[in-house]
């Protein structure tokens, strides 16, 4: 339901802006790297995410709401990409030592 989506998104926003979320997002980024997710995928998913919110929230999707979720997605993206980069560096270091 829309209410469940709003609750999940609010939780995501609060977690992404708090330091405890960083380890989770770093790990998630590393896992996504194993699936072949690249930096180019994040803007596509972020755009779809914002369009979904806009359609689902209607008039509630104000410029401030859009800005907040855009900022949240930026934190998610940068942290997950850092996790992916760390994972790839570890993989390369492991391969070089073999």
């Amino acid at each position: 339901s829309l209410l469940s989506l709003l609750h999940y998104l609010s939780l995501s926003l609060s977690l992404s802006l708090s330091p405890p979320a960083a380890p989770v997002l770093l790990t998630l980024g590393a896992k996504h790297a194993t699936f072949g997710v690249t930096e180019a995928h994040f803007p596509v998913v972020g755009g779809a995410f914002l369009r979904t919110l806009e359609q689902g929230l209607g008039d509630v999707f104000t410029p401030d709401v859009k800005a907040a979720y855009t900022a949240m997605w930026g934190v998610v993206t940068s942290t997950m990409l850092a996790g992916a980069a760390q994972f790839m560096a570890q993989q390369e270091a492991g391969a070089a030592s073999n």
Side-chain angles (χ1 to χ4, degrees):
S1 76
L2 183 55
L3 187 56
S4 296
L5 175 64
L6 286 173
H7 174 74
Y8 175 75
L9 294 174
S10 296
L11 179 61
S12 298
L13 179 59
S14 66
L15 288 176
S16 71
L17 299 177
S18 65
V24 173
L25 293 172
L26 290 168
T27 300
L28 195 57
K31 286 182 182 181
H32 277 66
T34 67
F35 305 141
V37 174
T38 66
E39 186 172 351
H41 293 113
F42 284 85
V44 175
V45 172
F49 172 68
L50 288 174
R51 282 189 298 281
T52 300
L53 286 175
E54 183 177 17
Q55 290 176 1
L57 296 177
D59 293 341
V60 178
F61 192 73
T62 64
D64 287 342
V65 171
K66 181 177 183 177
Y69 280 109
T70 299
M72 183 267 310
W73 186 251
V75 171
V76 169
T77 296
S78 63
T79 308
M80 286 182 66
L81 288 173
Q86 290 172 3
F87 173 78
M88 297 306 288
Q90 289 171 350
Q91 294 299 307
E92 291 171 9
S97 68
N98 289 331

